[in-house]
Amino acid sequence: MSRRGVHMGWMARLPAKSAVALAGALALAGCVSFGGGDPPDELITLTPTTTAPAGAAVTGDFSTAISVLEPEAPQSLKVTRVPVQVTPATLAYLPDATWVDRPAKLFGHLLTEAVRMQTGRLVLEGGDLQYAAATQLTGQLATMGYDATSSSVVVRFDAVLRRPDGQVRSRRFESTVPGVAPKAAPVGAALNQAANDVATQVAAWVGR
């Protein structure tokens, strides 16, 4: 079966409104080539809504520092394509949309900036020093993609916070952006919006 046939097969199981919208997007965009052909039309990244100004500095020691470890992720998010939840049991990938890096790594950087901005603490990310921080934030990026049945973008993160006294806390955070067309540009913008929302929620929780 051709790649177009595969796409049309899972589209046939969608509600009529979602199927029509997605069919139009596929007809216009075609499919992503991950071989040696043309590069994808859209590269998606995550950009913090607020960042520390140039020259801003924070001092501290390991007892008060917090480290942000790169989240774990399911296999569907260990590639640079944007997953589409077609049914509760089936996934596809959005045509012509490619992450600039692994989604979990991008989200980890976003989370680091949010924690730094909201808590004012020394935040360590990457390298061996991150494991020396008394407080460590990690977790699993469970979902970061497009839900075709509801025409929405969903970001879900299961955060795990280990405190200096050994206590471990966990909490699920989620953000949904509805009414998103199944095209690379609007999906990319919605993913950035939802990821920033989740990162802000997590940072507020860490700072309590």
Side-chain angles (χ1 to χ4, degrees):
M1 181 182 294
S2 67
R3 183 174 297 184
R4 178 176 176 81
V6 172
H7 283 305
M8 300 307 292
W10 65 259
M11 282 172 53
R13 299 193 294 275
L14 298 179
K17 183 177 180 180
S18 297
V20 170
L22 199 51
L26 292 174
L28 290 173
C31 294
V32 174
S33 172
F34 292 94
D38 294 335
D41 292 343
E42 299 283 347
L43 288 175
I44 299 174
T45 190
L46 299 178
T47 305
T49 52
T50 57
T51 59
V58 177
T59 59
D61 55 38
F62 292 130
S63 65
T64 59
I66 179 171
S67 65
V68 178
L69 307 181
E70 182 178 320
E72 297 292 329
Q75 191 62 40
S76 61
L77 293 175
K78 291 183 178 179
V79 296
T80 57
R81 294 176 289 176
V82 177
V84 176
Q85 192 75 46
V86 182
T87 72
T90 56
L91 286 172
Y93 286 100
L94 189 68
D96 295 324
T98 306
W99 291 104
V100 299
D101 207 335
R102 289 178 290 104
K105 184 176 181 180
L106 295 173
F107 182 74
H109 292 324
L110 195 73
L111 194 56
T112 297
E113 193 65 25
V115 172
R116 179 180 291 117
M117 289 293 296
Q118 291 199 45
T119 66
R121 295 168 64 177
L122 175 63
V123 180
L124 304 176
E125 179 191 22
D128 293 338
L129 288 180
Q130 66 181 340
Y131 299 104
T135 303
Q136 295 184 352
L137 174 64
T138 185
Q140 180 174 31
L141 183 61
T143 302
M144 181 179 280
Y146 186 75
D147 186 345
T149 61
S150 61
S151 298
S152 60
V153 157
V154 181
V155 175
R156 184 181 301 119
F157 178 60
D158 295 322
V160 177
L161 183 68
R162 191 185 74 182
R163 294 185 173 276
D165 60 2
Q167 182 185 28
V168 177
R169 298 168 56 200
S170 65
R171 182 173 175 180
R172 170 166 288 185
F173 298 88
E174 183 173 315
S175 182
T176 301
V177 180
V180 181
K183 299 179 182 180
V187 168
L191 284 168
N192 193 58
Q193 177 184 337
N196 269 281
D197 184 24
V198 169
T200 298
Q201 294 179 47
V202 175
W205 174 67
V206 169
R208 291 173 187 164

